[in-house]
Amino acid sequence: MKINEIIKERRTALNLTQEQVASYLGVTAPAVNKWEKGGTYPDITILPALARLLDTDLNTLLSFKEELTNQEINCFLNELTTAASERGIDAAFDLAREKLHEYPSCDSLTLGTALTLDGTFMLYQNESVKQEYLSLVETLYERAAGSQDIGIRNQAMGMLVSKCMERKEYDKAEKMLMEIPDENSFNKIGLLTKLHMAKGEFAAAAELTERKLLSEASLIDSMLSVLIDIAWKEGRTEDARQIADIISPLSKLLGLWDYNSYLGQFGLSVLEKDADNFINTLSSMLPALLQKWDISASPLYRHLAQKEDSQNLGKMMLPKIIADLEDTSDPEYDFLRSSPKFQEFLNSLKSK
């Protein structure tokens, strides 16, 4: 934390008002307000008095021992592992306590230490001190869960959820999971799935997993199309063709809409300005485009029921496709204009 955050946190923890702090230090309340907002900083001459008032020390107040670099943290975590291996689990925990006392506000260190001790304990566990060390590790996760860094906070929350689930405290685990804000977080979905499985709620677990799989499968399909375009623009034409060939079988394996399996060749035909391949590919795409996609027909998505009132997406897309092909202001399809076969094909589309 920065000095303004430390001042506000300590003042609040001690139930002091800004006016009380100002009175004690001989400054104005607006001055204290500016300190806490980071607009100005306390004069150096009143820092000792401020530290005493906030029941802390100057090192903490000024954040002299707050942050470590990622490299420094990784080196220390390696020291922890070595200490446990060579001198035992007690030595590792003593080393951890000492380092955390030196850098109490470094959230990355707190989480990394908890994760390392957690893993080390499983390798070198000593039953006589097991509960003491488990409690310490969980306390570190709780501290990290209060971090302002979303990634650190969510990972720490995830570990706390796992601890609750190990103790079969399912209600507590579920409550904590709901506090993780990112609905699309793989960690959150994975933990929710485990929770449903532990409670015997297999349909709910399957639905969560299937939705995540469908989302990721669609993303992969989209990224492959982008890679075709990149490869082509970089002059790697053979790579572009190989990637286009991958899309069709992969889309089918992932249970995507049949229409998706043609997108690779469709995009490639536009890049190559190959009118015949374009027409042949689009001719094959149309039956899939106009066929309503039943998601639950795939064994991968049995729990993703189709909505009864869902419309045929292909029929909604077809007019837009025709409009794009007819738009002479768009140079992308200029290579088709002189093809009699294309004009004939376009007329056939309008009759559908």
Side-chain angles (χ1 to χ4, degrees):
M1 290 186 293
K2 297 179 180 178
I3 185 172
N4 61 302
E5 296 171 336
I6 295 172
I7 293 173
K8 183 175 181 179
E9 182 184 87
R10 294 300 304 153
R11 177 183 64 77
T12 304
L14 295 169
N15 293 318
L16 294 172
T17 65
Q18 292 181 344
E19 288 75 12
Q20 288 173 317
V21 171
S23 175
Y24 181 88
L25 298 174
V27 297
T28 64
V32 176
N33 184 265
K34 288 181 180 179
W35 296 348
E36 294 187 357
K37 290 183 177 180
T40 60
Y41 296 98
D43 188 273
I44 192 171
T45 59
I46 63 175
L47 287 176
L50 177 60
R52 286 192 295 273
L53 175 63
L54 298 179
D55 193 22
T56 187
D57 56 71
L58 282 174
N59 281 338
T60 300
L61 183 64
L62 298 175
S63 306
F64 285 152
K65 294 186 176 181
E66 179 185 354
E67 295 298 334
L68 292 167
T69 65
N70 288 335
Q71 183 176 357
E72 288 174 322
I73 292 172
N74 289 335
C75 286
F76 172 70
L77 298 182
N78 287 334
E79 285 181 38
L80 275 185
T81 304
T82 301
S85 176
E86 297 179 355
R87 294 184 282 132
I89 190 71
D90 293 331
F93 272 81
D94 287 343
L95 186 62
R97 288 192 185 96
E98 182 180 343
K99 197 71 169 181
L100 290 167
H101 179 72
E102 186 178 1
Y103 296 93
S105 301
C106 184
D107 296 335
S108 296
L109 175 67
T110 300
L111 177 61
T113 300
L115 290 168
T116 302
L117 290 178
D118 214 353
T120 300
F121 177 72
M122 296 183 67
L123 293 174
Y124 309 103
Q125 59 178 297
N126 181 331
E127 293 297 333
S128 64
V129 294
K130 181 176 180 180
Q131 189 55 50
E132 174 192 350
Y133 290 157
L134 279 177
S135 297
L136 175 59
V137 167
E138 196 153 341
T139 298
L140 294 180
Y141 283 136
E142 289 170 353
R143 280 173 51 184
S147 173
Q148 297 299 310
D149 185 299
I150 294 175
I152 292 175
R153 182 173 69 242
N154 287 354
Q155 188 173 1
M157 288 286 286
M159 293 305 298
L160 288 171
V161 168
S162 294
K163 298 293 182 186
C164 289
M165 289 174 60
E166 288 173 8
R167 296 191 293 265
K168 301 188 185 309
E169 298 173 355
Y170 299 136
D171 290 343
K172 184 177 179 180
E174 187 170 8
K175 181 179 178 181
M176 293 177 66
L177 271 173
M178 293 304 104
E179 295 176 8
I180 298 178
D182 187 2
E183 292 295 334
N184 294 317
S185 166
F186 179 79
N187 187 45
K188 179 173 182 176
I189 291 175
L191 289 169
L192 273 172
T193 301
K194 284 184 179 181
L195 179 60
H196 286 309
M197 291 287 287
K199 296 168 70 175
E201 300 168 351
F202 303 120
E207 183 179 352
L208 273 175
T209 305
E210 290 172 11
R211 288 194 184 282
K212 183 64 175 177
L213 175 61
L214 181 59
S215 173
E216 296 297 327
S218 299
L219 179 60
I220 290 172
D221 209 49
S222 176
M223 289 191 295
L224 287 174
S225 293
V226 173
L227 286 177
I228 292 173
D229 193 36
I230 292 172
W232 186 267
K233 289 176 179 177
E234 289 183 337
R236 297 182 292 111
T237 55
E238 188 54 38
D239 285 352
R241 294 186 180 107
Q242 289 184 25
I243 297 170
D245 289 338
I246 290 172
I247 290 180
S248 178
L250 184 62
S251 293
K252 292 176 181 177
L253 285 171
L254 293 174
L256 298 176
W257 189 15
D258 285 345
Y259 166 79
N260 289 60
S261 64
Y262 298 100
L263 292 177
Q265 288 300 325
F266 181 81
L268 186 63
S269 68
V270 175
L271 292 171
E272 293 180 326
K273 302 189 183 308
D274 185 336
D276 287 342
N277 187 30
F278 178 91
I279 294 169
N280 290 336
T281 301
L282 190 54
S283 296
S284 299
M285 287 174 66
L286 282 176
L289 178 66
L290 297 175
Q291 182 177 358
K292 189 174 180 179
W293 181 27
D294 181 6
I295 298 176
S296 61
S298 168
L300 298 176
Y301 312 114
R302 294 294 193 209
H303 297 78
L304 302 184
Q306 194 84 18
K307 293 182 179 179
E308 291 296 328
D309 60 347
S310 62
Q311 296 178 311
N312 187 315
L313 183 59
K315 288 183 178 179
M316 296 171 62
M317 291 172 61
L318 186 57
K320 178 66 167 62
I321 292 174
I322 295 173
D324 287 343
L325 293 176
E326 288 186 316
D327 185 3
T328 57
S329 66
D330 186 352
E332 185 175 27
Y333 298 117
D334 280 350
F335 71 96
L336 298 168
R337 311 297 177 202
S338 60
S339 170
K341 187 176 178 181
F342 171 68
Q343 294 302 327
E344 181 182 341
F345 176 72
L346 192 57
N347 290 334
S348 71
L349 283 184
K350 294 178 183 179
S351 64
K352 291 186 179 293

